[in-house]
Every structure is written in structure tokens, then in C-alpha cells.
Amino acid sequence: MSLGIIAAAIATGLAAVGAGIGNGLVASRTVEGIARQPELRGLLQTQMFIGIALVEALPIIAVVIGFLTLNR
């Protein structure tokens, strides 16, 4: 049982780190794009929010998989 808890914690932690890195990359590239073409700010921000939402799905899925491994 204790190995399952450790596995779930590691999976959730690594997913959170990966999502943090991904969010940072998406936001930095958006700021870069807005700096190059300020007239596309609205379009770039919309795409950034969609990208961040997709990146944030990873830790949510990891938490669900962690809970599933605990109940086995």
C-alpha cells in the first residue's frame, strides 16, 4: 500500500512540474509574439489561454490516475 502512495505522489508531482514548465513556455512565447506584432494581441491571448488549458489537463489526469492506483 505504501508504494502505491509514493507512486501516486511522484506521478502528481512530476505532472505538476511538467505543467509549470509548459505554462511558462506558452506564456513566454505569447509575450514574444505580442512584442513582435502588437496588433495580434487578442488572437494570441486567446490561443494562449487554450494552450494553457490543454497543458493544465495533464496534472488533472495524473491526479485521477494516482487515485485509481491507490484503490487497487
Side-chain angles (χ1 to χ4, degrees), residues 14-69:
L14 289 176
V17 168
I21 292 170
N23 285 340
L25 289 174
V26 170
S28 71
R29 299 302 165 116
T30 301
V31 170
E32 239 179 70
I34 292 172
R36 290 178 186 212
Q37 293 185 332
E39 66 273 4
L40 294 178
R41 180 177 183 223
L43 177 66
L44 290 174
Q45 279 185 337
T46 302
Q47 290 179 352
M48 177 191 71
F49 290 136
I50 292 170
I52 287 178
L54 291 173
V55 169
E56 283 297 321
L58 174 73
I60 294 169
I61 293 169
V63 168
V64 170
I65 290 173
F67 282 138
L68 289 175
T69 59

Side-chain angles (χ1 to χ4, degrees), residues 1-9 62-72:
M1 180 70 175
S2 64
L3 289 179
I5 293 172
I6 292 171
V63 168
V64 170
I65 290 173
F67 282 138
L68 289 175
T69 59
L70 288 178
N71 291 329
R72 285 189 163 220

